Amino acid sequence: MKITKPDSEWRAQLSPRQYEVTRRQGTEPAFSGAYWDHHEPGVYRCVCCGAELFSSQHKFDSGTGWPSYFQPLRPENVATRDDYGHSMHRTEVHCAQCGAHLGHVFDDGPPPTGARYCINSASLKFESE
């Protein structure tokens, strides 16, 4: 089920950084987010709607300064679309339930998928196992 809210509700629910990243397609600075160097076992959920997105079991150190995963925990909760901003073509990753911008996916990740989901910490909330 798709989740939609007026902009005023998203602003009230989220911190300014979370709002900028998830609702305005922002990017937090590298090495600044809460989860880029986080190693506790658990699940990373969408900060906006709580959808399960990524597992700590699929997380790896990409050296980029953002949390990186080689696959989503629930593929049906993660959607992609072409992003032509910043004079380049990338593949944007967003929450399939609420449309929150999460980050981008690249094809330079590790086996078994070769994918690197480069995700903003501000778009996530962690739930330990």
Side-chain angles (χ1 to χ4, degrees):
M1 180 171 119
K2 296 279 185 185
I3 297 170
T4 58
K5 294 182 184 184
D7 193 58
S8 59
E9 286 187 33
W10 289 124
R11 283 185 185 275
Q13 174 185 331
L14 303 168
S15 74
R17 178 173 271 183
Q18 290 170 332
Y19 176 82
E20 179 63 27
V21 168
T22 61
R23 309 319 307 175
R24 298 183 51 88
Q25 288 70 43
T27 301
E28 62 196 6
F31 304 101
S32 70
Y35 302 126
W36 76 269
D37 194 28
H38 185 254
H39 304 287
E40 187 179 343
V43 173
Y44 296 87
R45 295 177 172 272
C46 176
V47 73
C48 294
C49 71
E52 290 185 331
L53 302 173
F54 298 98
S55 168
S56 60
Q57 294 178 356
H58 305 140
K59 191 172 189 284
F60 69 98
D61 182 3
S62 65
T64 62
W66 288 278
S68 297
Y69 310 86
F70 60 81
Q71 69 186 35
L73 174 61
R74 304 263 181 253
E76 65 274 14
N77 290 346
V78 176
T80 61
R81 65 178 155 238
D82 289 331
D83 176 359
Y84 292 98
H86 303 289
S87 301
M88 66 179 96
H89 175 245
R90 298 179 293 177
T91 302
E92 179 197 354
V93 179
H94 58 274
C95 176
Q97 289 189 23
C98 71
H101 171 75
L102 305 174
H104 292 86
V105 63
F106 303 94
D107 62 2
D108 59 358
T113 65
R116 174 174 55 96
Y117 288 82
C118 189
I119 306 300
N120 290 284
S121 292
S123 67
L124 303 172
K125 64 180 174 182
F126 180 74
E127 184 178 278
S128 60
E129 289 182 346

